[in-house]
Amino acid sequence: MTDEAQHRAQMARKKALQDARIAQATQEKGLIIVHTGPGKGKTTAALGMVFRALGHGMRIGIVQFTKGARESGEAAFARELAGRVDFFALGEGFTWETQDRERDRAAAERAWAKACALMEDPHYDLVVLDELNIVLRDDTLPLEPVMEKLRQKRPALHVVITGRSARPELVELADLVTEMKLVKHPFRSGIKAQRGIEF
Amino acid sequence: MTDEAQHRAQMARKKALQDARIAQATQEKGLIIVHTGPGKGKTTAALGMVFRALGHGMRIGIVQFTKGARESGEAAFARELAGRVDFFALGEGFTWETQDRERDRAAAERAWAKACALMEDPHYDLVVLDELNIVLRDDTLPLEPVMEKLRQKRPALHVVITGRSARPELVELADLVTEMKLVKHPFRSGIKAQRGIEF
């Protein structure tokens, strides 16, 4: 085959794949899912959805709103999956560690801009907005633009939002809400955070 | 290098890696973790731990006690990761779908034998026993041998056990228990189960 024929064949394959993805997407409704509550497992359950979605050939975007560049297990493994999972840790550490509200607001706005870009891009089937609830709870990010964006999301897109203290408006909008309740916690009995389990 | 020298070098590397893994393992306590409750996200949170653990270079074994061969997202993605994640769906479908107690018991015993083999094998850092709570709840698998095995597990091994209605003895033994509470569920409003989200 000539270079041009190869290129045309490649474009045709790409188009066919795209058509198949669009056809499939319209058969299913994308959900807005909220993981909240004081227990462990909110971010973790979102990562589990990513694990499953990868098995179905989906493409995933993850934005972390409060976690910064510190290396985590999810960041390391997501990097291995670049192109299938795109991962952005855009926080500045937990907000209670800082008194600098302006810096927090700027970080939250940057993370939200990235979240909007991912939600608009038809490349992504599932977008995880990790700890978005936290920046909404303490008004680091204003609620209304977030609600508006979620109401107008692409129909096939799944969005998973994590963090304790989900705003009632968001719970109302969501299709699926799970509240993680703490029953027993190792930090309470003096065991340190475990690599691969807690982070 | 001669074949023999190559073999010796390979063995030395393997030994060094093993020593490093053992040294690291002794610095941390392996946890027994239980995800229970009526809400969604129990298996999903376990898969999220697998996602994180992979980022830390851990090796994982997963045994599904009630799910059978039907293809799931987690099965498909785990297959891609063979050697890092070893996945065994050894159930016969949910027990309430069948009246055949003997068949259920035989399946649960097979799954438990595999679980024991994984927990004993120092290759694995994390073992997920998915829906073990279900077969313990309805006495498809007897509780005491399971408790005994968990009490004597390798100190560095993390074990994650999922399923609603965790037995109180197991909750007592666990280091970390999270109860998933249902707040809002799409099946209640007539939306079908979503590929990549629910399975």
Side-chain angles (χ1 to χ4, degrees):
Chain A
M1 267 202 287
T2 64
D3 279 359
E4 212 212 319
Q6 272 188 343
H7 178 72
R8 271 204 309 272
Q10 200 190 341
M11 286 297 102
R13 274 197 304 277
K14 206 167 165 182
K15 178 69 167 51
L17 191 66
Q18 216 167 44
D19 288 350
R21 283 163 57 85
I22 289 166
Q24 163 204 303
T26 56
Q27 290 161 17
E28 296 184 348
K29 180 191 185 297
L31 303 178
I32 297 175
I33 296 168
V34 173
H35 296 164
T36 193
K40 306 294 293 179
K42 297 182 288 289
T43 297
T44 314
L47 296 173
M49 286 182 176
V50 171
F51 192 99
R52 282 198 169 121
L54 284 162
H56 291 290
M58 292 182 179
R59 286 146 171 189
I60 299 115
I62 303 176
V63 179
Q64 296 197 317
F65 279 78
T66 62
K67 288 158 200 159
R70 188 183 82 118
E71 193 61 349
S72 64
E74 61 264 36
F77 189 53
R79 208 167 37 233
E80 275 189 53
L81 300 167
R84 300 168 74 185
V85 178
D86 296 318
F87 184 92
F88 306 91
L90 297 176
E92 294 269 14
F94 282 96
T95 51
W96 51 84
E97 287 169 5
T98 165
Q99 298 299 321
D100 190 342
R101 288 288 288 162
E102 280 319 303
R103 196 195 68 158
D104 289 352
R105 282 201 187 97
E109 288 293 350
R110 270 198 305 278
W112 177 243
K114 175 57 76 178
C116 290
L118 297 178
M119 288 190 286
E120 283 159 20
D121 185 344
H123 173 83
Y124 296 101
D125 304 297
L126 166 62
V127 170
V128 177
L129 306 178
D130 186 45
E131 307 286 14
L132 174 60
N133 287 338
I134 300 293
V135 292
L136 293 176
R137 176 194 61 183
D138 59 14
D139 277 318
T140 307
L141 193 70
L143 180 65
E144 198 34 54
V146 172
M147 295 296 293
E148 194 53 29
K149 192 80 192 173
L150 290 172
R151 273 184 221 114
Q152 293 172 10
K153 75 167 184 64
R154 289 179 285 124
L157 177 71
H158 297 295
V159 179
V160 182
I161 297 166
T162 76
R164 60 173 69 199
S165 311
R167 297 279 289 255
E169 298 90 334
L170 187 56
V171 169
E172 182 53 38
L173 180 67
D175 300 293
L176 172 58
V177 179
T178 298
E179 191 183 323
M180 274 71 170
K181 185 176 149 189
L182 183 69
V183 178
K184 199 173 173 182
H185 196 293
F187 299 131
R188 302 266 162 93
S189 49
I191 299 166
K192 75 181 176 98
Q194 299 289 304
R195 199 176 49 101
I197 300 296
E198 306 279 349
F199 61 91
Chain B
M1 265 201 289
T2 64
D3 279 359
E4 212 212 321
Q6 272 188 343
H7 178 73
R8 271 205 310 271
Q10 200 190 343
M11 287 297 103
R13 276 198 304 278
K14 207 169 163 181
K15 178 71 168 54
L17 190 67
Q18 215 168 43
D19 287 351
R21 283 163 56 84
I22 289 166
Q24 163 202 305
T26 55
Q27 290 161 17
E28 296 183 348
K29 179 189 184 301
L31 303 178
I32 296 175
I33 296 167
V34 174
H35 296 165
T36 192
K40 306 293 295 178
K42 298 181 287 290
T43 297
T44 314
L47 295 173
M49 287 182 177
V50 170
F51 191 99
R52 282 198 168 121
L54 283 163
H56 291 290
M58 292 182 178
R59 285 144 171 192
I60 298 114
I62 303 176
V63 178
Q64 296 197 317
F65 279 77
T66 62
K67 288 159 199 157
R70 188 182 82 118
E71 194 61 349
S72 63
E74 62 263 36
F77 190 53
R79 207 168 39 233
E80 276 191 51
L81 300 167
R84 299 170 74 186
V85 179
D86 296 317
F87 184 91
F88 306 90
L90 297 176
E92 295 269 14
F94 282 97
T95 50
W96 52 83
E97 286 169 4
T98 165
Q99 297 299 321
D100 190 343
R101 290 287 289 161
E102 279 317 303
R103 197 195 69 158
D104 288 352
R105 281 201 188 99
E109 289 292 350
R110 270 197 306 279
W112 177 243
K114 175 57 77 177
C116 290
L118 297 177
M119 289 190 284
E120 282 159 21
D121 185 344
H123 174 82
Y124 297 101
D125 303 298
L126 167 61
V127 170
V128 177
L129 306 178
D130 186 45
E131 307 286 14
L132 174 60
N133 288 337
I134 300 292
V135 293
L136 292 176
R137 177 194 59 183
D138 59 14
D139 277 319
T140 307
L141 193 69
L143 179 64
E144 197 35 54
V146 172
M147 295 296 293
E148 193 53 30
K149 192 78 193 175
L150 290 172
R151 273 184 220 112
Q152 293 172 10
K153 76 169 182 63
R154 288 180 285 124
L157 178 71
H158 297 295
V159 179
V160 181
I161 297 166
T162 76
R164 60 174 68 200
S165 311
R167 297 280 289 255
E169 297 91 331
L170 187 56
V171 169
E172 182 53 40
L173 180 67
D175 299 294
L176 173 57
V177 179
T178 298
E179 191 182 322
M180 274 72 170
K181 186 176 149 188
L182 183 71
V183 177
K184 198 173 174 182
H185 195 293
F187 299 129
R188 303 265 162 94
S189 49
I191 298 166
K192 74 182 177 101
Q194 298 292 303
R195 199 176 48 102
I197 300 295
E198 305 278 348
F199 61 91

